[in-house]
Amino acid sequence: MFDCFLAQMLVLTFIFFSSSRVFFLKHSRVDCFAAFSPAALIISFFIFYCFDFSILSFAVFLLALISFFTNFRATLRLYAKLIVDSYSVVFNIFSIIILILTVLLAIGIIYFRPVKYSASDFDIKKTQYTLTGTSANLRIRESYFSGASFSGNLFSYEPIIKDDIIAEFHKEKPTIIFTPGIHANVQNYEPYLMLLAQKGYPVLAADFYTNDLQILAKYFDNKVIKSLVESKFMRKFTAIHIDKTQKEEFSKIHDDELAVSTKKYSALTKLALELFGGETKVFYVVDGVDFDSIYAVIDEFNTEPYSNAKGFFSMNRVDEYKTSGYGFIEQTDVFLAHTKGIERENKFFIPRYVANKTIKAIEEQK
C-alpha cells in the first residue's frame, strides 16, 4: 500500500515540474520539461495495473491526463527539437491551474497516506506467487508471463528460523489459512498476518479471481463490464460502491459470497498441503464467513484421507475490531477508514490485539 503512495507522489512530482516551468523558463530553449507530462500519464496508468482502483489513484490519473493534453503541443515540439520562445497566455493559465490542483491533491494524498511497514520490520519472510486454474485445480503459475490464465495472488508469510532451538519451538505450530471477502484484499490484512508470522505461525493467504468464484459479474449485462468488475483492479471498489449505494442488491451479493467461501478455503488448504506437506496442520481465520461454511471445510479436512484441520477463529469475535470485512484499513487504506470515521493509526494496536486473540484461540483448540 505504501508503494502505491510513493507511485502517486512520483506522478504528482512530474506534473509539478511540468506545470511550474512557466515560472522559471524565460528564454528561448528546447522545452525538456514537457517530457514529464507523458511520463506522468504512463506511470499513473500503471498504478491501476499494479494496485487496486481507488478514488485517490483515479484523481491522480485524471490530473495526469489533463496535464498531458495541456502539454501535447509542447511535447510534439520537444520531439521535433524546436526552440520555444514563449508560452501563450492560455497555456500559462492552464499550467497554473494544474499546478494548484497538484499541490492540493498532494496534500490530500500525504494526509491519507498508509502506514509504512515491511516484512523486515516484523522479522519475517514474505513471498508472493501468481495462481492459475480454477478452485478445483488451483496451482502456482511458473511465470507471470507464462500464458496460463490468471486466477489470483498467493501470499506466504513465514517466520525467519535462525537456529535449531527456534525451529523446535515453532515446528508444532499450524499453518494459518486466510482469504478475504470482496470488500478487501490480502494487503488490507497484512499487518495482522505479519504479526501472526512474527509469533512463529506460517500464514498462507490468497486473493482469488477464478471464473468459478465470480459473484459480481452476474449482476451486469455488458461483457466488458463483467470482466472489469471481477478484475483485481476493480472488484473491491465495485463491491464497496454497491454496498454503500444499493444495500438490498448487496445483500444478495453477500449471500453469494458466503456460498463460495467454502470453495475458497478448501482450494487454499489443498494448496497449503502441496506446499508444506500432507501432514501439515492448518488453522482457519475468517472475517465475515458464517460458521456453517467454515465448519464444512473443517469437516472436509478432518475426514479420510485428511486429518489436518485444527479449528478456526472468527475475527468478528473481537469487539474492538470495528472494520469487519474491510481489514485493517486504519493502516492500509486511510482514506476509506476516514469515510468510516476511523483515523490513521501507526502503532498497529488493533491488528496486534486481534493477532493475540487469534493465538489464544489456537492454543485453546490444541
Side-chain angles (χ1 to χ4, degrees), residues 120-318:
S120 60
D121 296 333
F122 297 92
D123 198 26
I124 66 166
K125 180 178 68 173
K126 172 186 173 181
T127 309
Q128 180 175 343
Y129 306 93
T130 302
L131 298 174
T132 188
T134 65
S135 61
N137 62 348
L138 201 66
R139 59 192 184 278
I140 294 174
R141 192 162 70 176
E142 293 182 3
S143 169
Y144 189 84
F145 302 100
S146 66
S149 62
F150 172 78
S151 299
N153 291 314
L154 176 69
F155 300 87
S156 172
Y157 306 92
E158 299 178 70
I160 295 176
I161 307 300
K162 297 180 179 180
D163 53 52
D164 293 339
I165 296 175
I166 295 177
E168 184 68 21
F169 180 71
H170 289 325
K171 72 176 184 178
E172 298 300 325
K173 293 184 176 180
T175 296
I176 294 174
I177 304 293
F178 174 73
T179 180
I182 57 175
H183 285 98
N185 55 35
V186 170
Q187 288 186 316
N188 292 124
Y189 291 86
E190 268 198 341
Y192 163 73
L193 301 176
M194 288 183 173
L195 284 163
L196 290 173
Q198 185 184 50
K199 296 296 184 179
Y201 293 88
V203 179
L204 208 61
D207 294 312
F208 292 109
Y209 302 95
T210 63
N211 292 333
D212 60 322
L213 297 177
Q214 291 183 355
I215 56 179
L216 291 175
K218 70 178 184 179
Y219 295 94
F220 298 87
D221 296 324
N222 186 281
K223 289 185 178 180
V224 175
I225 299 298
K226 285 175 179 284
S227 178
L228 280 176
V229 298
E230 289 290 356
S231 70
K232 70 173 185 175
F233 319 112
M234 291 291 295
R235 187 175 70 183
K236 184 178 81 169
F237 178 83
T238 304
I240 293 173
H241 177 72
I242 296 175
D243 189 11
K244 186 176 181 180
T245 59
Q246 305 174 48
K247 291 292 184 181
E248 292 185 6
E249 192 74 15
F250 190 80
S251 65
K252 302 175 184 177
I253 295 173
H254 180 63
D255 291 340
D256 293 339
E257 182 181 9
L258 293 178
V260 302
S261 59
T262 300
K263 290 183 179 180
K264 290 165 61 177
Y265 274 94
S266 176
L268 188 53
T269 304
K270 291 175 182 177
L271 202 56
L273 299 184
E274 289 181 13
L275 289 173
F276 302 126
E279 301 301 316
T280 301
K281 302 302 180 183
V282 297
F283 186 89
Y284 301 102
V285 170
V286 298
D287 187 13
V289 176
D290 64 302
F291 286 10
D292 288 341
S293 297
I294 197 63
Y295 276 131
V297 181
I298 292 174
D299 289 343
E300 178 185 358
F301 289 96
N302 275 337
T303 303
E304 289 292 340
Y306 300 109
S307 59
N308 306 91
K310 302 295 290 183
F312 80 100
F313 176 77
S314 176
M315 298 169 69
N316 305 75
R317 296 178 185 176
V318 184

Side-chain angles (χ1 to χ4, degrees), residues 22-36:
V22 297
F23 295 107
F24 57 82
L25 293 180
K26 299 295 184 182
H27 305 290
S28 299
R29 68 276 176 196
V30 175
D31 194 5
C32 297
F33 281 85
F36 281 119

